[in-house]
Amino acid sequence: MENGLARAAVHWIGIWKNEPVKNLTKTEERGRLRLKWIYYVKIRKGINMERKNAWLSYGEAEEKKMEELVKRYRHFLDEGKTERECVEQIIKEAEEAGYRELSEKTAESKTLRAGDKVYTVAMNKIVSLFHIGSEPLEKGMNILGAHIDSPRLDIKQNPLYEDTDLAYLDTHYYGGVKKYQWVTLPLAMHGVVAKKDGSVVDIRIGEDDEDPILYITDLLIHLAGSQMEKPAAKVIEGENLDILVGSRPLKDLDDDRKKEAVRENVLAILKEKYGIEEEDFLSAELEIVPAGKARECGLDRSMIAAYGQDDRVCAYTSLAALLEMEAPARTCCCLLVDKEEIGSVGATGMQSRFFENSVAELLDAMGIYSELTLRRTLRNSSMLSSDVSAGFDPAYGEAFEKKNAAYLGRGIVLNKFTGARGKSGSNDANAEYVARVRRIFDDHQVAFQTSELGKVDVGGGGTIAYIAALYGMEVIDSGVSVLSMHAPWEVTSKADIYEAEKAYKAFLLDA
C-alpha cells in the first residue's frame, strides 16, 4: 500500500482535477484513492475544524454503491412504517443472510459456535441479531443500537364517533410532534387488530394507488383570524387531531340508528372487509402515518424525503452493516428497539430486560452461561448508539451553534453528549472512547463530523445511549443528520446514509 501511495502521488495533478490516471496497478490505484481521500478530508479540512462535503470524494464506483444502498433503504421505509412492520422486514433480510431464530437453534440441541448467526425477537416490536465471533464472548461485543419507532398518531381504544354527518376516529399522538404539521395531509392506517378468538388482523389502508386515504381537517384561512393568533403549540390541539373516515350514511336503518348512519356505514365496511366489530378496537394497535412512498428530494436527487427516518435511517444502515460481516473476530450485534420516542419504556423499550435476557440466552446456547460471564460480556462491550442528529437548517440558523452543528452531506455525526440544558439525561462518552472511534473512522476513510443538538438552553433530546451505559460498556451517539426531524416528512442526504453504513461496518470490524 505504501509503495502504491508513493507512486500514485506522482500523478497528483490528475488527482486534484479528478482526472483518470492510466497504467496503475490495483495496489497503486488503491493508493491513489487513499491519497485523494487524504487531500479532501485531511489536507483541505486541516486549515480549520470544518468538515468537507463527502460528495467531493466520491468516484463513480462509490456513487453506484451509494445508490444501491439508498434504493434498498427506500424499500425498507416503504414497507416498514410501524415497528411491527420494521421487525418483519428485518427478520426477512436477516434470514436471507443466513440468520436463524435463537430458539430454533437451541431446539436442535446444538451448541452455538463462532460463525453462527442468530436473532431474538419480542412482541414483534424489538429484535437483536448476533454474529458470533472467534474471540470469547466474555471479552465483549461490538454493538450497533438504534430504534425503529417514530412519532405518529395512535387510534384510541374507543375511537369512532359521528358529528353532523361526518365520521371520525379519535387519536392520541405518540412522541414529540408539532401537531399543526399533521393536518391536511394524505394519511394511512397501519397496524393490527387482535380479536377475542386469538386471530390477528393486519390493517394497511392508504398506501396503494386504489386505496382511499385518511385526512385531518383544518380551519379555512377565511375564518382563521382567531386561530392564527394562537401560539404554534395551540393552533391545533391534541384532541382535534381526529381522522375523517366517512360521510356516506347507511340506508334502511332502524329509527334509533339513523342519527348515526355514517358511523354505522363505517362499521359495516370494517365488518365486511376485515371481519372487525366495533369492540375489537379495544385490542387494536392502529397507527396513523403519512401516506406515500419515500422519494428522492432535490433537483440533483441528492436527498431522501420520507416518513420515519428518525430513526430508521440508522436502524437500516446498522442492519445492512451487520448482514455484510464475514467471520468477525469479536461478536457483532445489532439491537433495534421500540419506544425510544416515549422514553424507552415498556417491555419492548431499551429500559426493558430484553437485551440482557437475549445475551443470557446466547451465552447459555454456547454452553458458557453464568451471571458473572453475562456481566463481563456486557461491561466489556463497545456500542454505537445510532440515532439521528439535527441537521443545520439555514432557514432556522438561530437555533444552532454553527461550529458545533451537523450538516447534511458531511458524513456520519458523533454526539459526545445529548441531553438538555446542563447535559441532563446525557450519556457523555469518555474522551478515550471518542478518540478510538475517531481512529476507526479515519482508518476506514469514513467521513464524519461532530455536533450538539442545537444551542445551549435552546432545547435538547435523548437517545438509548445512557441506558446501555448502565452496564458499564463504552457508548457514544452516532447517526445521520436530518432536516425537519419529527415532521411527517423528514429529509436526509444520500451521502450521509452511505457514510453511516461505512462507519457501522468499520466499527463492527475494529472496535
Side-chain angles (χ1 to χ4, degrees):
M1 172 63 81
E2 294 304 323
N3 290 336
L5 181 60
R7 289 193 56 192
V10 176
H11 305 280
W12 62 272
I13 295 176
I15 293 172
W16 288 181
K17 295 182 179 180
N18 206 28
E19 296 173 352
V21 180
K22 298 179 180 179
N23 302 322
L24 287 179
T25 66
K26 289 184 178 180
T27 299
E28 291 167 347
E29 177 62 17
R30 287 197 298 270
R32 173 184 179 272
L33 293 174
R34 176 63 175 163
L35 187 65
K36 183 178 177 182
W37 172 263
I38 291 171
Y39 170 66
Y40 280 118
V41 180
K42 297 293 189 183
I43 297 174
R44 288 183 59 175
K45 82 179 183 188
I47 300 171
N48 53 46
M49 293 285 282
E50 183 179 349
R51 321 300 282 193
K52 296 301 178 182
N53 197 302
W55 288 93
L56 297 173
S57 66
Y58 294 160
E60 184 177 340
E62 280 202 289
E63 289 196 11
K64 183 179 179 180
K65 289 180 182 178
M66 175 183 65
E67 294 294 347
E68 289 172 351
L69 171 65
V70 169
K71 183 178 180 180
R72 300 197 308 272
Y73 169 56
R74 287 174 60 188
H75 175 75
F76 179 75
L77 290 175
D78 295 341
E79 296 301 316
K81 288 194 172 183
T82 70
E83 58 278 16
R84 287 176 180 263
E85 291 173 349
C86 284
V87 167
E88 183 180 349
Q89 292 300 310
I90 290 161
I91 291 175
K92 180 180 177 181
E93 291 200 28
E95 290 184 341
E96 289 174 354
Y99 282 75
R100 298 268 310 278
E101 189 165 9
L102 180 58
S103 59
E104 289 183 6
K105 292 283 285 186
T106 55
E108 298 172 357
S109 300
K110 293 182 179 179
T111 302
L112 294 185
R113 60 184 185 276
D116 282 339
K117 304 174 184 179
V118 293
Y119 69 86
T120 62
V121 64
M123 302 181 186
N124 300 315
K125 297 179 183 179
I126 184 170
V127 59
S128 59
L129 304 100
F130 303 90
H131 189 158
I132 300 174
S134 55
E135 294 182 358
L137 201 59
E138 190 174 347
K139 290 187 176 181
M141 301 176 288
N142 293 341
I143 305 169
L144 302 174
H147 68 91
I148 50 177
D149 62 314
S150 294
R152 60 179 188 260
L153 307 179
D154 285 341
I155 298 298
K156 290 184 178 181
Q157 288 184 286
N158 183 16
L160 183 61
Y161 71 95
E162 178 178 338
D163 191 339
T164 324
D165 298 334
L166 297 175
Y168 296 90
L169 289 174
D170 209 355
T171 70
H172 193 137
Y173 63 91
Y174 172 97
V177 301
K178 291 181 175 179
K179 295 183 283 291
Y180 64 81
Q181 293 180 330
W182 286 79
V183 300
T184 69
L185 293 176
L187 299 171
M189 182 189 297
H190 292 238
V192 297
V193 178
K195 302 172 70 174
K196 288 193 295 184
D197 62 6
S199 62
V200 177
V201 181
D202 290 317
I203 305 290
R204 188 182 176 101
I205 304 171
E207 298 294 355
D208 293 336
D209 291 340
E210 299 303 317
D211 278 356
I213 60 148
L214 305 178
Y215 189 82
I216 301 175
T217 61
D218 192 11
L219 184 62
L220 67 162
I221 187 65
H222 310 75
L223 303 179
S226 297
Q227 182 195 43
M228 298 292 283
E229 293 176 357
K230 294 181 180 179
K234 300 291 185 180
V235 168
I236 301 294
E237 300 280 359
E239 285 291 355
N240 291 338
L241 290 172
D242 291 353
I243 309 297
L244 182 63
V245 294
S247 66
R248 178 187 294 181
L250 189 64
K251 299 178 181 178
D252 303 323
L253 289 173
D254 297 335
D255 288 343
D256 62 337
R257 297 169 63 197
K258 285 182 179 178
K259 63 180 181 179
E260 292 190 325
V262 176
R263 178 178 177 278
E264 292 290 337
N265 193 37
V266 170
L267 288 172
I269 293 169
L270 292 174
K271 175 70 173 178
E272 178 184 0
K273 188 168 184 180
Y274 299 105
I276 297 171
E277 305 283 354
E278 182 175 12
E279 196 172 79
D280 291 328
F281 280 118
L282 294 174
S283 51
E285 290 180 3
L286 297 173
E287 303 178 12
I288 301 300
V289 299
K293 294 184 176 182
R295 301 289 298 273
E296 291 180 309
C297 180
L299 296 179
D300 56 2
R301 299 177 181 267
S302 63
M303 296 167 285
I304 296 298
Y307 164 70
Q309 297 199 77
D310 176 8
D311 180 38
R312 291 165 191 153
V313 64
C314 296
Y316 186 75
T317 48
S318 295
L319 174 69
L322 180 70
L323 297 188
E324 292 180 14
M325 291 296 294
E326 297 181 3
R330 191 166 157 102
T331 294
C332 296
C333 170
C334 182
L335 173 64
L336 304 173
V337 303
D338 182 26
K339 299 291 192 292
E340 191 276 343
E341 297 295 358
I342 58 171
S344 296
V345 295
T348 55
M350 187 63 194
Q351 293 195 60
S352 73
R353 292 293 182 92
F354 168 79
F355 181 56
E356 182 179 331
N357 292 343
S358 295
V359 177
E361 293 284 358
L362 186 70
L363 289 166
D364 187 62
M366 297 175 70
I368 56 174
Y369 174 79
S370 73
E371 182 68 15
L372 185 57
T373 302
L374 172 62
R375 297 299 159 200
R376 286 173 175 169
T377 299
L378 294 170
R379 182 196 65 201
N380 294 331
S381 293
S382 299
M383 181 178 183
L384 292 183
S385 170
S386 305
D387 208 340
V388 296
S389 191
F392 179 80
D393 188 339
Y396 306 98
E398 67 279 1
F400 299 85
E401 195 268 285
K402 294 185 74 172
K403 299 193 310 302
N404 290 286
Y407 296 85
L408 258 65
R410 298 188 187 181
I412 191 170
V413 184
L414 291 177
N415 291 84
K416 186 178 185 296
F417 53 86
T418 51
R421 299 175 300 279
K423 300 186 181 181
S424 176
S426 172
N427 168 54
D428 208 350
N430 286 340
E432 294 87 347
Y433 187 55
V434 179
R436 179 148 61 98
V437 174
R438 284 176 54 207
R439 176 190 58 76
I440 292 169
F441 288 175
D442 278 347
D443 286 350
H444 290 266
Q445 303 172 26
V446 174
F448 74 93
Q449 53 185 318
T450 61
S451 82
E452 298 180 15
L453 196 61
K455 285 183 176 179
V456 177
D457 289 338
V458 167
T463 68
I464 65 172
Y466 76 97
I467 304 169
L470 295 175
Y471 293 113
M473 67 177 71
E474 295 275 23
V475 189
I476 187 172
D477 285 300
S478 69
V480 173
S481 59
V482 176
L483 296 180
S484 303
M485 190 191 299
H486 281 215
W489 286 73
E490 301 165 315
V491 173
T492 57
S493 165
K494 288 181 178 181
D496 295 335
I497 296 167
Y498 178 59
E499 294 297 331
E501 191 205 24
K502 284 173 56 180
Y504 297 148
K505 283 194 289 188
F507 179 83
L508 292 177
L509 281 168
D510 284 353

